[in-house]
Amino acid sequence: MVQYNFKKITVVPNGKDFVDIILSRTQRQTPTVVHKGYAISRLRQFYMRKVKYTQQNFHEKLSTIIEEFPRLDDIHPFYGDLLHVLYNKDHYKLALGQINTARNLISKIAKDYVKLLKYGDSLYRCKSLKVAALGRMCTVIKRIGPSLAYLEQIRQHMARLPSIDPNTRTILICGYPNVGKSSFMNKITRADVDVQPYAFTTKSLFVGHTDYKYLRYQVIDTPGILDRPFEDRNIIEMCSITALAHLRAAVLFFLDISGSCGYSIAQQAALFHSIKSLFMNKPLIIVCNKTDLQPLDAISEEDRKLVTEMKAEAMKTVIGQGGEPENEGVLLTMSTLTEDGVIAVKNSACERLLNQRVELKMKSKKINDCLNRFHVALPKPRDQKERPPCIPQAVLEAKAKQAAEERKGKTEKDLEEENGGAGVYSASLKKHYILASDEWKEDVLPEILDGHNVYDFIDPDILLRLEELEREEGLRQAEEEADDFEMDGEELSPEEQEALAAIRKKKNLLIQQHRMKKSTAESRPVVPRKFDTDRKFTTKRMGRQLSSLGLDPSLAINRARSKSRGRKRERSVERGEADGGDTMDIDGNHASKKLRLRSMSRSRSRSRPPISEVVPGEGLKDSAQKVKAIKLAKKSVRKRNKNARRGEADRVIPTLKPKHLFSGKRSTGKTDRR
């Protein structure tokens, strides 16, 4: 099956862009540095390469244009005539011919100048020949600029053409403008053709697809045709004529019997008779549309006579195809507004087209080759006894029982509609349970659960017991309310009233503190030291816990003691210096701050251990591992230090050649700085 996809054609650049593309590619893809000191053979080769490469790029680009545009003689006649109607095939062929001529001229120019470059005797002469060659090639391209622009316009228009397969099953809709063709197409396909109440809304061919008997059918909506001479028809009408002439399809001729389209039945009948030669050898159906406005039986006698003549012409095409006229629906009525008869028209067209295609295939020569591959096995009769098909009695009884149940019983859909519809009615799944008794299906509790009888664990007097418990709870609450009274200040002395106010204030304060603790419980440390008033978290307790876990607690206890001792030492030193006579002469907080810093430094001063010694808390096993780790660390930063980087993220690229030393012409004088 041939598919014509014109959207794949490459964009055609205009003359100026064409030259820019090729010359920039030559500049990028070929060497650019040459010196007059090179050997003459090398100079010639350098410029010959430029000329040849430019010619090859021009040749490839122009060849792509020529090959991708369709040849009107090689494609299907439908597309050939359609392109001729839309673009005029003479102009089209002339444009492609000019592209081909330009390609040959560029090849000839390159050949001539390469021959001259073989005898170039200097750099200047070789360069001049190269410039002349490329200039003449660009001149050729600029001369065919109008043809390139014309082909680009055609390419854009062809990309918008519908993808029509001329060889597949096709239904073609034709008729006068505004008779309901596009409305019918929108009803039977998923195409979205614009529908307006004026003529020539559809200005080109539109394609949709529909299914019938698991086969895909192509539906083509054509623009309206007017009844006038062939020479006077415009491009829009010629698109429809081209499709009718070349596509092997079922034709639906639409007839507006209401006259609302602006054309009478007589005018539509005249169009039918003028183009009936295009309906030969095609299934034809006359569709009387807009029956909601005017039924077929209510038209006048003259119009009915015209419709009868059109039906007789359509019957001739059926007889010519070998069909039976009395069984063929060649005249159908329809209304796209009420959708009355729409599906019948579609099914009739698809059925007739399918029958015709099958008959043509049966008459073709290929059918003999296919029939040779088939073998139909027919059993030979062994006696004269008849053996009709036999269905077992049990199967018949089961089928009869099932049919009776279906007639008698209601479906879930019926029950749902009777009981409030979807969202209100909930289907019961328990009625399909297979149990010993149907009464058990709706039980709330199962009879047996985990091997035990559920009823044995249920107290029959459970409700009475619950009432007694609730009554007892109510009595207890009443007693508690009687015992809990609020002391008022009228019966108390002034001293007792002050004490009561202090108690209430303290109570409110405790409640607020508790609420604050509760609100910050997640972000608060687990055991703050200031809240450990009972001294629960001591070193002795820590030692007992670590010993129970099988760990030696001595190091942890000594570390905790040394830390606490250091802090006590700092505080004592500060206090001793603050209480001494020297601090009395010093005025202000500044002196006390200096003393505090000095005391802290004194308390923390200690000798630094050797590099190889392992300090507790570093996470290293022994001194050998620490030395190895230090070596690896130094090695990792060696490259960074060598490049004078500040860190791993330093990406600064220093100026290796300062501009004031390495630019400009050298003057007379010292040049050793360079």
Side-chain angles (χ1 to χ4, degrees):
M1 184 177 294
V2 180
Q3 292 288 341
Y4 296 98
N5 188 4
F6 299 135
K7 295 179 178 63
K8 293 182 178 179
I9 301 176
T10 311
V11 177
V12 182
N14 58 35
K16 187 176 181 301
D17 292 344
F18 210 123
V19 171
D20 292 343
I21 290 168
I22 300 301
L23 292 186
S24 64
R25 184 181 294 177
T26 303
Q27 185 72 3
R28 283 183 286 109
Q29 303 290 341
T30 57
T32 56
V33 179
V34 67
H35 298 291
K36 62 181 179 180
Y38 289 167
I40 190 64
S41 59
R42 184 173 177 182
L43 296 174
R44 292 169 182 163
Q45 196 64 35
F46 177 85
Y47 287 108
M48 285 164 61
R49 180 175 180 180
K50 295 264 186 188
V51 174
K52 285 181 180 177
Y53 191 81
T54 307
Q55 181 265 330
Q56 288 174 0
N57 284 332
F58 274 123
H59 189 276
E60 288 175 5
K61 203 78 174 172
L62 296 173
S63 299
T64 302
I65 295 172
I66 294 170
E67 290 169 3
E68 289 189 349
F69 275 89
R71 293 172 60 88
L72 299 183
D73 298 333
D74 296 342
I75 60 177
H76 193 275
F78 163 68
Y79 271 117
D81 280 4
L82 184 63
L83 296 182
H84 173 56
V85 166
L86 295 173
Y87 317 122
N88 191 338
K89 65 180 179 182
D90 296 333
H91 294 172
Y92 178 80
K93 288 183 176 180
L94 278 173
L96 288 177
Q98 287 183 354
I99 301 296
N100 189 31
T101 304
R103 182 179 63 175
N104 296 334
L105 284 175
I106 289 173
S107 300
K108 188 174 182 299
I109 289 169
K111 185 178 178 182
D112 293 343
Y113 276 88
V114 166
K115 191 182 295 183
L116 293 173
L117 276 166
K118 288 181 181 179
Y119 301 100
D121 55 358
S122 66
L123 173 65
Y124 177 75
R125 184 148 313 169
C126 292
K127 185 175 181 179
S128 300
L129 289 171
K130 186 266 296 185
V131 170
L134 268 57
R136 288 187 62 185
M137 293 179 191
C138 295
T139 303
V140 171
I141 293 298
K142 287 178 182 177
R143 284 179 180 173
I144 63 168
S147 297
L148 293 172
Y150 172 72
L151 289 175
E152 172 61 14
Q153 293 293 326
I154 289 180
R155 184 199 68 80
Q156 293 179 6
H157 194 278
M158 289 173 68
R160 295 192 291 269
L161 287 178
S163 181
I164 298 174
D165 186 359
N167 301 315
T168 191
R169 294 167 291 274
T170 306
I171 297 174
L172 199 62
I173 308 170
C174 66
Y176 255 91
N178 202 22
V179 295
K181 302 186 293 297
S182 300
S183 301
F184 174 73
M185 173 128 174
N186 290 341
K187 294 291 183 184
I188 67 170
T189 70
R190 297 183 64 183
D192 187 15
V193 186
D194 188 21
V195 177
Q196 298 294 341
Y198 50 81
F200 285 109
T201 307
T202 305
K203 297 181 180 179
S204 62
L205 300 176
F206 283 87
V207 180
H209 294 85
T210 186
D211 291 335
Y212 177 73
K213 289 186 177 180
Y214 304 103
L215 293 175
R216 180 61 55 88
Y217 285 78
Q218 180 178 255
V219 184
I220 300 178
D221 179 21
T222 62
I225 309 172
L226 298 178
D227 183 25
R228 53 185 177 181
F230 188 82
E231 297 81 10
D232 297 340
R233 289 196 170 106
N234 56 22
I235 294 176
I236 297 175
E237 296 175 89
M238 288 305 297
C239 291
S240 301
I241 298 297
T242 304
L244 285 169
H246 293 289
L247 292 179
R248 194 176 62 182
V251 180
L252 299 180
F253 185 85
F254 270 58
L255 195 67
D256 183 3
I257 57 176
S258 68
S260 60
C261 64
Y263 304 98
S264 63
I265 296 179
Q267 290 175 306
Q268 298 179 58
L271 172 66
F272 176 84
H273 291 296
S274 66
I275 62 172
K276 65 182 179 182
S277 59
L278 300 174
F279 302 150
M280 297 304 296
N281 301 322
K282 295 185 180 74
L284 174 62
I285 297 176
I286 300 171
V287 180
C288 297
N289 194 18
K290 302 185 182 180
T291 54
D292 55 321
L293 299 176
Q294 175 87 23
L296 183 61
D297 301 335
I299 62 176
S300 63
E301 192 68 31
E302 295 178 359
D303 293 341
R304 187 174 298 152
K305 184 178 180 182
L306 293 173
V307 173
T308 306
E309 291 177 359
M310 293 167 64
K311 182 180 178 182
E313 290 291 338
M315 298 287 269
K316 290 180 182 178
T317 61
V318 175
I319 297 171
Q321 295 168 15
E324 297 180 3
E326 63 273 14
N327 296 330
E328 296 292 340
V330 295
L331 181 65
L332 298 176
T333 57
M334 180 188 73
S335 172
T336 54
L337 182 65
T338 61
E339 298 188 11
D340 184 23
V342 171
I343 301 301
V345 171
K346 184 197 92 167
N347 292 345
S348 176
C350 294
E351 187 68 33
R352 289 189 57 188
L353 178 63
L354 190 62
N355 293 338
Q356 190 211 31
R357 289 173 68 90
V358 171
E359 289 175 6
L360 290 176
K361 287 182 180 179
M362 292 297 292
K363 293 177 182 177
S364 64
K365 296 180 180 178
K366 292 183 180 179
I367 191 66
N368 296 326
D369 299 334
C370 297
L371 288 176
N372 292 335
R373 304 175 193 172
F374 295 120
H375 174 68
V376 181
L378 297 174
K380 294 181 179 179
R382 58 186 177 184
D383 50 25
Q384 300 299 325
K385 187 176 180 181
E386 293 185 2
R387 293 179 176 84
C390 178
I391 301 175
Q393 186 65 29
V395 175
L396 293 174
E397 291 176 359
K399 285 186 176 181
K401 185 178 179 181
Q402 183 180 0
E405 288 178 356
E406 288 178 356
R407 286 193 299 270
K408 181 179 67 176
K410 293 182 179 180
T411 62
E412 288 290 338
K413 187 71 174 176
D414 299 334
L415 294 173
E416 179 183 340
E417 291 176 355
E418 290 176 2
N419 295 287
V424 179
Y425 171 76
S426 180
S428 175
L429 302 177
K430 295 181 179 180
K431 60 185 178 183
H432 299 296
Y433 287 174
I434 302 174
L435 300 174
S437 174
D438 291 340
E439 298 176 356
W440 298 349
K441 290 182 179 180
E442 300 299 331
D443 288 347
V444 179
L445 287 174
E447 185 179 359
I448 303 296
L449 181 67
D450 296 334
H452 300 283
N453 191 354
V454 177
Y455 198 73
D456 294 342
F457 299 94
I458 296 177
D459 189 356
D461 300 331
I462 187 70
L463 297 176
L464 297 175
R465 293 177 187 275
L466 283 174
E467 289 179 1
E468 291 177 2
L469 286 173
E470 289 176 356
R471 197 180 304 114
E472 183 179 349
E473 186 178 0
L475 293 173
R476 286 185 178 180
Q477 287 179 356
E479 291 176 0
E480 289 176 0
E481 289 176 359
D483 294 340
D484 188 14
F485 65 91
E486 185 66 29
M487 187 182 293
D488 52 356
E490 296 177 356
E491 302 173 357
L492 300 177
S493 62
E495 293 82 3
E496 291 175 344
Q497 289 181 1
E498 290 179 1
L500 180 61
I503 290 170
R504 287 177 176 173
K505 186 176 181 181
K506 183 66 174 177
K507 182 180 178 182
N508 291 334
L509 188 63
L510 290 173
I511 290 172
Q512 290 178 3
Q513 288 178 354
H514 174 69
R515 286 175 179 170
M516 289 175 63
K517 289 179 185 177
K518 193 173 181 181
S519 64
T520 60
E522 294 181 357
S523 60
R524 198 171 63 242
V526 180
V527 186
R529 192 176 292 275
K530 63 180 179 179
F531 293 121
D532 188 17
T533 56
D534 300 333
R535 304 293 295 169
K536 293 181 181 178
F537 303 98
T538 60
T539 54
K540 291 181 181 179
R541 181 181 175 187
M542 183 175 67
R544 288 197 303 271
Q545 288 181 349
L546 291 175
S547 300
S548 65
L549 295 173
L551 301 173
D552 184 13
S554 59
L555 291 174
I557 292 171
N558 292 336
R559 179 176 174 79
R561 282 177 179 167
S562 65
K563 292 240 176 187
S564 62
R565 211 177 290 125
R567 282 195 293 274
K568 285 179 182 175
R569 169 67 180 156
E570 292 164 16
R571 284 195 292 272
S572 64
V573 169
E574 290 172 16
R575 194 180 301 112
E577 290 179 4
D579 295 339
D582 296 337
T583 58
M584 299 300 291
D585 299 332
I586 300 171
D587 184 25
N589 295 328
H590 186 62
S592 62
K593 187 176 181 182
K594 281 185 177 179
L595 289 172
R596 199 182 306 120
L597 291 171
R598 196 183 304 148
S599 65
M600 288 172 68
S601 64
R602 280 198 197 121
S603 66
R604 294 183 181 178
S605 64
R606 54 183 177 177
S607 60
R608 184 178 296 173
I611 296 177
S612 61
E613 184 179 337
V614 179
V615 179
E618 286 184 336
L620 299 170
K621 184 171 64 174
D622 51 11
S623 59
Q625 191 180 29
K626 184 174 182 180
V627 171
K628 186 176 180 182
I630 292 170
K631 283 184 179 179
L632 289 173
K634 287 183 178 180
K635 187 177 179 181
S636 65
V637 298
R638 187 182 302 163
K639 186 176 180 182
R640 189 191 76 195
N641 295 341
K642 187 177 179 181
N643 294 332
R645 305 287 188 193
R646 293 180 181 176
E648 292 180 357
D650 190 0
R651 295 289 183 268
V652 176
I653 300 174
T655 306
L656 300 178
K657 291 186 176 184
K659 188 172 182 181
H660 71 282
L661 294 179
F662 291 91
S663 65
K665 294 185 178 180
R666 298 188 186 187
S667 60
T668 57
K670 289 187 177 181
T671 58
D672 56 351
R673 291 286 299 277
R674 308 193 185 196

